[in-house]
Amino acid sequence: MVKKINATHERLPAADEAATIDNVAQMAGVSPATVSRVINNRPVVSETTRRRVLEAIAHLNYQPSALGRNLAIRRTGTLGLIIADITNPFYAEIVRGIEETAFTHGLNILLYDTLEDAEREAQILSLLEERQTDGLIICASCLPEQRLLPLMQVGIPTVLINHLPLSASIGTVETDQEAGIRAAMQHLVDLGHRRIAYIGGITTAQVYQRRLATFRATCAEAGISIPENYIVPAKPTLDGGREAARHLLPTGSKVEPPERASYPTAILAYNDLVAIGAIIEAQEAGLTVPEQLSIVGYDNIPLAALLHPSLTTVQQPARILGEQAIHLIATYLQLQKLPEGRPTFMRFTPTLIVRASTAPVVLSSS
Amino acid sequence: MVKKINATHERLPAADEAATIDNVAQMAGVSPATVSRVINNRPVVSETTRRRVLEAIAHLNYQPSALGRNLAIRRTGTLGLIIADITNPFYAEIVRGIEETAFTHGLNILLYDTLEDAEREAQILSLLEERQTDGLIICASCLPEQRLLPLMQVGIPTVLINHLPLSASIGTVETDQEAGIRAAMQHLVDLGHRRIAYIGGITTAQVYQRRLATFRATCAEAGISIPENYIVPAKPTLDGGREAARHLLPTGSKVEPPERASYPTAILAYNDLVAIGAIIEAQEAGLTVPEQLSIVGYDNIPLAALLHPSLTTVQQPARILGEQAIHLIATYLQLQKLPEGRPTFMRFTPTLIVRASTAPVVLSSS
DNA sequence: TTGAAAGCGCTAACAA
DNA sequence: TTGTTAGCGCTTTCAA
């Protein structure tokens, strides 16, 4: 019907293959450049041309290829997200905040779950170096600083969640780890506890180190000396918590009166999952929580309020951490430079939420 | 030192810009094709050449660009994942299975959270049409079939989780919805319940419709007639569950004896979150669970076992659903055709887990 | 307002 | 075993 418009060897695409910008251009009788202008809503195109192009697009059921586009503009609209454990409700909530905010910015999220494993995290990082994401969010890294830096130096704009600022990053959003631990410890000390254990956490992770350091510092300030075996690192999961607690608590029913016992009267857990694991283990060992053992968690996951006993814990604004991380990175992507000339450090203050898993220590017994 | 090898105008990249395959080729004194062969471990390259190329790569700190590569081979190694609610531990566990398995297959996951919202899901789907993912996993779609089909016809290989097979998809992995509901209902009926409500769920979602239909069918078979207001759809979240329960349960303390009461003696919830919401609401309304109200959940999230009362629920093998979904899609990607000539239908049988949130109905009162 | 042409960084026939 | 050449599908100067 319609004769070839140009003397090109262009042909229309077979029914099963996708139309390209050239097909559209040919059909509309314009150049690919013009089609590109229409697709991207450049204002310069005349109304009639625009209409012709749009018709051709509709006719061919044309979808611009992100692949071609990405290569041409050398951006992908995609962010890498490295998260420690998606099944931990605290992280899931952060991801929710990230996802939702990224969507409004037109950014896509490539998800990587490290399973709280440092080696795996390292693998993922090196994989990401070639994936050309526009940016990277690392949430609760288990890696030491010197393994994080190379990636940023390769030029991927990175935001860290719950980490201290790194010179090569574009910023950090965190809750004040020190304040969180201090609040929890103050609470336990006020309740009269002096035999306090710290359980759970990956030793290579900066969060862990900071929390532990603060734990030690607070103990020292309160004149409490902590035996080394009261510090039990473990995977920050329910099972990790159980395992750690098992090392500390009396087995079977040989529960001693608190003043003579060797086990702690209180446990500060790395996070809520660990705390819950410890509660379960304690109960199975025949200890009542909080009467014989107080337990404090960290994060305030939704589950914390629903348990029996409900969990005393340190609340972090999970969703907001995620949202702000995206805002940071989106701002950077727009400006192509650090807004303040140096990495942003955004810090929130956590809140201690006192519930039913902590109680005054009872030293004299009935 | 070394003279220009070719008469090209190639120059080495400035320090701050990334090296390309051409830079490497030039430095190694070979063609880009050869560099490509080395990068992709093609066996044909001679040892000495390979070494020269690798040296150049190291020298320039060269990272191959996935962008260029993707365009050339027209694949991205990326799968879209549409999930209803990442903060629901059941879905989080599915994502974990997907993530982990995808990683072993060298596939990357683009995560999209629909927030259990049909409109949002539709938006995401159309967005994905141009993103050129190699495949798509839709988990717990809230969209009716006719809105799902267009995407698959555009040619994106799709696997559905907890959905019936669609002709245009490459397959489906699900737990038997009908069996799950039947098991739960059998349990309630055996306990003597005849006033059973079904609460929670998005009406446009196929899972919801199937579960509800089975609920109705089982009631009919048991000779139970259910008033329409016993069926309360709601967002499948904790709050959704609370809200739905509020519609059903007596307010304040006007708890009537069961035989005269208008409210149900048992609630079958769309999922565990809804069930937990209902438990909370019931308790706040002054009802004891399970004595005055039995509640059954669905999914068996980790939390279900830890609550008081612990939750009777229908277990789904969440992680495995995710793993199998990836296997399905990975197989297809390798073969570039349906392994069995038609969409695969992989079905698991759920298990009823009886815990403490259900009890025999007490008709005579003290 | 539009088009020609060059190029983004890589791969893959094909030829040598 | 290696190089030449022609794309992959799009964007973007620059000139008309």
Side-chain angles (χ1 to χ4, degrees), chain A residues 296-332:
Chain A
V296 179
Y298 209 108
D299 293 347
N300 192 31
I301 62 178
L303 171 49
L306 303 177
L307 285 178
H308 284 257
S310 63
L311 192 63
T312 296
T313 188
V314 179
Q315 153 140 35
Q316 301 195 64
R319 172 107 44 131
I320 293 177
L321 292 177
E323 290 168 1
Q324 293 307 319
I326 293 289
H327 281 140
L328 232 55
I329 221 162
T331 307
Y332 177 86

Side-chain angles (χ1 to χ4, degrees), chain B residues 144-171:
Chain B
E145 225 168 273
Q146 63 269 30
R147 297 187 68 177
L148 245 28
L149 280 171
L151 187 81
M152 300 176 201
Q153 278 151 358
V154 108
I156 303 185
T158 303
V159 167
L160 298 155
I161 295 185
N162 276 359
H163 201 101
L164 291 177
L166 250 39
S167 56
S169 73
I170 72 174

Side-chain angles (χ1 to χ4, degrees), chain B residues 291-313:
Chain B
E291 291 77 8
Q292 295 175 286
L293 181 68
S294 286
I295 297 185
V296 179
Y298 209 107
D299 294 346
N300 192 32
I301 62 178
L303 171 50
L306 302 177
L307 285 178
H308 284 259
S310 62
L311 193 62
T312 296
T313 188

